Amino acid sequence: MAFENNEKAEGYWRENLRLVLGLLAIWAAVSYGCGILLVDVLNEIHLMGFKLGFWFAQQGSIYVFVALIFIYVKKANALDEKYNVHED
């Protein structure tokens, strides 16, 4: 990966870091918020026979994490294209 100049490299990593921190904030909100803080409210709703709060604590946050990986791949590829450092 070769950048045209130092400013483009700094811009690329600044945007990449913002993307990663944003996605991690979403994951933390889902796993901590839905799995711990809102568990009592979510337990009033049932999903396939399980309480929704329990489901988020056990599986939901993992599914969200996997979805965020795919979102990161798509956005990182777009970022690579924007800064012309994509692989051919």
Side-chain angles (χ1 to χ4, degrees), residues 42-81:
L42 292 173
N43 277 341
E44 300 297 321
I45 303 167
H46 291 273
L47 177 70
M48 296 187 297
F50 296 102
K51 295 178 179 178
L52 190 58
F54 172 78
W55 184 84
F56 265 107
Q58 298 301 312
Q59 296 174 338
S61 62
I62 296 170
Y63 289 148
V64 169
F65 182 71
V66 171
L68 290 176
I69 290 171
F70 286 105
I71 292 169
Y72 175 76
V73 167
K74 184 171 176 62
K75 296 221 177 233
N77 285 336
L79 189 63
D80 288 350
E81 292 279 337

Side-chain angles (χ1 to χ4, degrees), residues 23-39 42 53 55-57 59-65 68:
L23 294 175
L24 284 175
I26 292 169
W27 184 47
V30 168
S31 21
Y32 185 72
C34 295
I36 297 172
L37 296 177
L38 299 174
V39 71
L42 292 173
W55 184 84
F56 265 107
Q59 296 174 338
S61 62
I62 296 170
Y63 289 148
V64 169
F65 182 71
L68 290 176

